[in-house]
Amino acid sequence: MEKVQLQILGAGSAVPTKKFSHPSQVLSLREKVFMIDCGEGTQHQVRRFGVRVSRLNHIFISHLHGDHCFGLVGLLSTLDTQGRTGDVYIHSHPELEALLRPMIAFFCKGLSFNIYFEPFSPGVSEEIYSDRSLSVRSFPLKHSVKSSGFLFKEHEKERHIKPELIKYFNVPVAQIPLIKRGADFTTEDGEVIPNYQLTSAPTPPKSYAYCSDTAYTEKFLDHIAGVDCLFHEATFVQKDLPAAKKTMHSTALQAATIAKMAGVKQLIIGHYSARYDDPAELLAEAKSIFEPTDFAADGKLFTF
Amino acid sequence: MEKVQLQILGAGSAVPTKKFSHPSQVLSLREKVFMIDCGEGTQHQVRRFGVRVSRLNHIFISHLHGDHCFGLVGLLSTLDTQGRTGDVYIHSHPELEALLRPMIAFFCKGLSFNIYFEPFSPGVSEEIYSDRSLSVRSFPLKHSVKSSGFLFKEHEKERHIKPELIKYFNVPVAQIPLIKRGADFTTEDGEVIPNYQLTSAPTPPKSYAYCSDTAYTEKFLDHIAGVDCLFHEATFVQKDLPAAKKTMHSTALQAATIAKMAGVKQLIIGHYSARYDDPAELLAEAKSIFEPTDFAADGKLFTF
């Protein structure tokens, strides 16, 4: 089974701490690398943790607060000095291109690759990326500026053939792709062998949802229902709920409530306020509601 | 005697390494803090090394390559979240304001302090800052884009009075300020006491020169002659001279040659290429020409 790997590059929030840098993470699946958010210092973290960026072509920016995108131009510059040739696509709310194009034009002259901005609308849910293996959907969060969550989801996979039965019924090789996609098989004698006899259920497609920054809201539950892994921001503990409300962030308890309601398999909390030295308290709070919770930390790897 | 303290925040160059971040340093003297260059991640280093930024009001940018200024907007944002009220002046080549103003307007709405850009001309040497205690001069370096060095120099100080002679000649208190500034004293009997009898030489003004980025050039020697401390970039070792020439940087040997010719008291080398894991080789090379050389490292403090 193909594994999905998530590496946290920055588990902090607006003010970086000695432990936790600005938000950024990379999701690796099917030989591709996707970056989500790119706070200042992301290029440092890429180097510090040895992230392989040769296959990084798509960067998704959740919203236009500096701590989620100030690392972009620096990252692009450094990719260039390292002789990169593959193009880079930046998926973001529309305003970002006008802000960064002059910087890129001035500071990244003669880039060895192209940079394309792929704007998407923050107000609706839409498919913003698709390839042979997976798609990415955006959906609105609830924050002090327009903010978007992302759902990475593999396409439905092919059914697994049962080799011994394929052999038993003398299925011609040419028909196997159809059978993997669910077709029945008709023997030379005209007998119809139903697909379920020849195949077993496909490997379930993997899915990952990213929700940061957001206040507590249930309106995106449908989008994240049942995902293999949910990253949900947990900027505060519940006793600091007033601060969470004021800044339109979530508490760890709220993040866990969302995870539980959405029936996700695993929750990762992160985006901690600089006021907390240690995420232990946040983790304990989330676990009290939703046991399969883990905490983000700079460089930490998750596989699912 | 008032000490000057220099702290290196980033000793690396365009590509950050695990050890050395992008260029930035802070110079503290006479209760003021000045920042020189502000590469990406400078706000992280400020926090990591506990730099007191409450008195930081002036930032000097040597040239418009991203590794020397990509940390500015992030630093300004974070100063704001920390409740700063003192204004910030950015001294740089003229183009920077047009590039950063839209970013600041979008990402730093409602700042609690003002940001002023103080452009200076890269082609000439000029005084770009002055206060009661010191002045800062820019001077042209030699690089792939226009680049400026900075000379921080305290004003000439007052002469030290010799208390026993002041008493002996019955010098009135009102005249002491004049005598400290070099005036002779005439006694009631009309006898002229020359100043040198009443005073000793003033404490020499401290001076610090910053030269990065630059290829080897002797044209700014007059500006840095005899300074207490010179930071001169040493991106390469001498055996990589072709790379230094191509990128218009200096070797450690060249930096030391400049330091020796200028008769400076102390040389600090830095701005190392990412190709070197350890600055030991660069330091040894510089020391072979100019013994009082030390090497920059992230967080390292120098006092002079």
Side-chain angles (χ1 to χ4, degrees):
Chain A
M1 198 193 303
E2 195 95 30
K3 288 281 185 188
V4 179
Q5 199 178 62
L6 177 73
Q7 186 164 31
I8 308 297
L9 302 185
S13 57
V15 175
T17 66
K18 286 179 187 175
K19 267 188 187 168
F20 301 129
S21 193
H22 289 306
S24 183
Q25 44 184 255
V26 283
L27 189 75
S28 307
L29 76 169
R30 304 284 192 101
E31 303 281 302
K32 295 197 174 92
V33 177
F34 302 93
M35 181 174 281
I36 308 169
D37 284 336
C38 187
E40 182 178 347
T42 294
Q43 64 162 318
H44 299 68
Q45 302 292 72
V46 159
R47 188 160 259 255
R48 179 174 166 204
F49 301 126
V51 176
R52 289 186 53 205
V53 286
S54 57
R55 290 174 190 279
L56 170 64
N57 297 98
H58 292 269
I59 302 174
F60 298 83
I61 303 295
S62 62
H63 66 294
L64 303 186
H65 273 157
D67 54 325
H68 290 252
C69 60
F70 280 172
L72 269 172
V73 185
L75 178 70
L76 296 169
S77 304
T78 295
L79 288 177
D80 186 49
T81 61
Q82 294 175 332
R84 180 197 188 76
T85 55
D87 294 338
V88 175
Y89 296 80
I90 299 168
H91 305 263
S92 75
H93 297 172
E95 298 89 337
L96 192 62
E97 178 162 14
L99 288 163
L100 294 194
R101 275 289 181 207
M103 298 278 287
I104 293 168
F106 188 90
F107 289 108
C108 313
K109 287 188 185 81
L111 274 188
S112 53
F113 55 92
N114 295 309
I115 297 166
Y116 299 103
F117 283 81
E118 300 273 327
F120 63 89
S121 173
V124 299
S125 172
E126 55 183 327
E127 185 177 279
I128 59 174
Y129 172 82
S130 183
D131 64 21
R132 271 194 331 172
S133 330
L134 80 153
S135 67
V136 183
R137 269 196 97 75
S138 67
F139 50 88
L141 304 176
K142 182 183 175 185
H143 193 45
S144 54
V145 299
K146 285 173 181 168
S147 182
S148 296
F150 299 118
L151 173 66
F152 289 75
K153 191 171 185 180
E154 284 184 300
H155 299 316
E156 293 294 333
K157 295 179 183 175
E158 295 186 324
R159 298 183 66 82
H160 297 291
I161 53 167
K162 298 174 180 165
E164 66 287 6
L165 286 155
I166 293 293
K167 194 172 174 188
Y168 178 82
F169 288 109
N170 268 321
V171 179
V173 172
Q175 291 216 30
I176 289 180
L178 300 170
I179 289 169
K180 281 184 172 174
R181 276 174 257 151
D184 297 335
F185 174 63
T186 308
T187 63
E188 285 182 358
D189 309 339
E191 188 190 355
V192 174
I193 315 296
N195 185 278
Y196 72 83
Q197 283 195 10
L198 299 167
T199 66
S200 59
T203 309
K206 291 290 175 67
S207 53
Y208 172 66
Y210 176 85
C211 300
S212 184
D213 295 358
T214 188
Y216 180 84
T217 173
E218 297 167 13
K219 68 178 178 176
F220 58 73
L221 281 176
D222 284 353
H223 291 293
I224 65 171
V227 294
D228 292 289
C229 182
L230 166 66
F231 178 94
H232 193 294
E233 70 133 287
T235 309
F236 296 100
V237 294
Q238 193 65 16
K239 74 169 160 45
D240 293 327
L241 183 62
K245 283 190 168 166
K246 189 180 163 203
T247 56
M248 299 193 77
H249 284 295
S250 300
T251 66
L253 192 134
Q254 290 174 329
T257 303
I258 291 293
K260 191 175 181 180
M261 290 174 78
V264 308
K265 296 196 180 68
Q266 179 186 8
L267 169 66
I268 301 169
I269 55 167
H271 198 269
Y272 318 120
S273 160
R275 68 176 69 184
Y276 309 114
D277 283 337
D278 191 301
E281 190 184 355
L282 294 135
L283 181 65
E285 183 172 297
K287 274 181 172 288
S288 74
I289 298 280
F290 188 73
E291 171 53 31
T293 302
D294 203 346
F295 67 98
D298 289 17
K300 196 165 172 180
L301 273 169
F302 298 91
T303 304
F304 50 90
Chain B
M1 201 193 304
E2 196 95 31
K3 288 283 186 189
V4 179
Q5 198 178 61
L6 176 75
Q7 186 164 31
I8 308 298
L9 301 185
S13 57
V15 175
T17 66
K18 288 178 188 175
K19 266 189 190 167
F20 300 129
S21 193
H22 289 306
S24 183
Q25 45 185 253
V26 281
L27 188 74
S28 308
L29 77 168
R30 303 283 192 103
E31 303 281 301
K32 296 198 174 92
V33 177
F34 301 93
M35 181 175 279
I36 307 168
D37 284 336
C38 187
E40 183 178 347
T42 294
Q43 64 162 316
H44 299 67
Q45 302 291 74
V46 159
R47 188 160 260 256
R48 181 174 166 205
F49 302 125
V51 177
R52 288 185 58 203
V53 286
S54 55
R55 290 175 190 277
L56 170 64
N57 297 96
H58 292 271
I59 303 174
F60 297 84
I61 304 295
S62 62
H63 66 296
L64 303 186
H65 273 157
D67 55 325
H68 291 252
C69 60
F70 279 172
L72 268 173
V73 187
L75 177 70
L76 296 170
S77 304
T78 296
L79 288 178
D80 186 49
T81 62
Q82 295 175 331
R84 181 201 187 73
T85 55
D87 295 337
V88 176
Y89 296 81
I90 299 169
H91 304 263
S92 76
H93 297 171
E95 298 89 337
L96 193 62
E97 177 161 15
L99 289 162
L100 294 195
R101 276 288 180 206
M103 299 278 288
I104 292 168
F106 188 90
F107 290 108
C108 312
K109 287 187 186 82
L111 274 188
S112 54
F113 55 92
N114 295 309
I115 297 166
Y116 299 101
F117 282 82
E118 301 273 327
F120 63 88
S121 173
V124 297
S125 171
E126 54 182 329
E127 185 177 280
I128 59 176
Y129 172 83
S130 183
D131 64 22
R132 271 194 332 171
S133 331
L134 79 154
S135 67
V136 183
R137 268 197 98 75
S138 68
F139 51 87
L141 304 176
K142 182 183 174 184
H143 194 43
S144 55
V145 298
K146 284 171 183 171
S147 183
S148 297
F150 299 117
L151 172 66
F152 290 74
K153 190 171 185 180
E154 285 185 297
H155 298 316
E156 292 293 333
K157 295 180 183 175
E158 295 185 326
R159 299 181 67 82
H160 298 292
I161 51 169
K162 296 174 181 167
E164 68 286 6
L165 286 156
I166 293 294
K167 195 173 173 188
Y168 179 82
F169 288 110
N170 268 320
V171 179
V173 171
Q175 292 217 29
I176 290 180
L178 300 171
I179 290 169
K180 280 184 173 175
R181 276 174 256 150
D184 297 333
F185 173 64
T186 307
T187 63
E188 286 183 358
D189 308 338
E191 189 192 354
V192 175
I193 315 295
N195 186 276
Y196 72 83
Q197 283 194 13
L198 298 167
T199 65
S200 59
T203 309
K206 291 291 176 67
S207 54
Y208 172 66
Y210 177 84
C211 300
S212 184
D213 295 355
T214 189
Y216 179 84
T217 172
E218 297 166 14
K219 70 178 174 173
F220 58 73
L221 281 178
D222 284 352
H223 292 291
I224 65 171
V227 294
D228 292 289
C229 181
L230 166 67
F231 179 94
H232 193 295
E233 70 131 286
T235 309
F236 297 101
V237 294
Q238 193 65 16
K239 74 170 160 44
D240 294 327
L241 184 62
K245 283 190 169 165
K246 190 179 163 204
T247 56
M248 299 193 78
H249 284 296
S250 300
T251 66
L253 192 133
Q254 289 175 330
T257 303
I258 291 294
K260 190 175 181 180
M261 289 175 79
V264 308
K265 297 196 179 68
Q266 179 186 9
L267 168 67
I268 301 169
I269 55 167
H271 197 270
Y272 317 120
S273 161
R275 69 177 68 185
Y276 310 113
D277 284 336
D278 191 301
E281 190 183 355
L282 294 135
L283 181 65
E285 184 172 296
K287 273 181 171 290
S288 75
I289 297 282
F290 187 74
E291 171 54 32
T293 301
D294 203 345
F295 68 99
D298 290 16
K300 195 166 173 181
L301 274 169
F302 298 90
T303 304
F304 51 88

